[in-house]
Amino acid sequence: MADSQTGAAEPEPWYKDGLAFECTQCGDCCTGAPGFVWVTDEELAAIAAELGEPVGEVRDRLTRRARGRRTLRERSNGDCVLLDAKRGCSVYRVRPAQCRTWPFWESNIETPEDWKRTCDICPGSGRGEVIPVEEISRRLKVIKM
């Protein structure tokens, strides 16, 4: 693979043979410490359609402004507002790109140690189908975390 700016070959990532992952829909990545789940207008429209509610109502009820962008709100315990304790993500089919690309964020796969830490906290990481390096690279480009 060549670097588009220099023409030099980019080194292969340490995970060149892919990484195993299968979403168990456990909800662990939807809970915990406060953070941000960034959403675009298109994602909000899809969420509103999935919930059968007007976009404006969904925007006002489920999101807030932060750092010049829009993020999903959290409950007082840190859970995502879209997490249903019994059913999991209430909009799983149309979840935001940030959620769809988990766990393939730079912070989770930069080093083998980062990946081990991710596997320790996410029951689906390190098991299931091996995701090819090309797909991991595609997901990395979707959102920078």
Side-chain angles (χ1 to χ4, degrees):
M1 185 183 313
D3 181 302
S4 60
Q5 293 179 346
T6 66
E10 291 180 24
E12 288 185 319
W14 68 266
Y15 51 87
K16 65 182 178 359
D17 296 326
L19 295 169
F21 175 71
E22 68 179 0
C23 181
T24 64
Q25 295 188 34
C26 67
D28 287 357
C29 57
C30 310
T31 62
F36 301 101
V37 177
W38 305 113
V39 291
T40 65
D41 289 341
E42 293 80 13
E43 290 168 337
L44 271 176
I47 290 168
E50 184 76 5
L51 296 174
E53 299 177 22
V55 174
E57 287 179 23
V58 169
R59 182 183 305 108
D60 293 346
R61 184 170 56 88
L62 300 180
T63 72
R64 64 185 173 87
R65 299 286 297 171
R67 299 182 183 176
R69 298 167 69 188
R70 190 153 298 279
T71 183
L72 292 175
R73 292 182 186 271
E74 297 165 329
R75 294 191 178 94
S76 60
N77 66 357
D79 288 0
C80 174
V81 293
L82 296 173
L83 181 64
D84 180 289
K86 293 180 182 152
R87 297 183 311 135
C89 180
S90 59
V91 296
Y92 186 82
R93 194 175 62 83
V94 296
R95 66 199 184 281
Q98 182 174 333
C99 304
R100 284 193 317 272
T101 58
W102 171 268
F104 302 113
W105 301 346
E106 288 175 348
S107 60
N108 292 336
I109 65 170
E110 190 170 0
T111 68
E113 294 76 24
D114 293 327
W115 180 245
K116 182 186 179 324
R117 179 183 40 79
T118 301
C119 292
D120 289 344
I121 63 168
C122 173
S125 295
R127 66 178 255 202
E129 173 188 358
V130 173
I131 310 299
V133 66
E134 296 82 11
E135 176 60 17
I136 294 170
S137 295
R138 187 194 69 74
R139 292 183 193 185
L140 283 169
K141 291 175 185 169
V142 170
I143 191 162
K144 297 291 182 191
M145 294 301 303

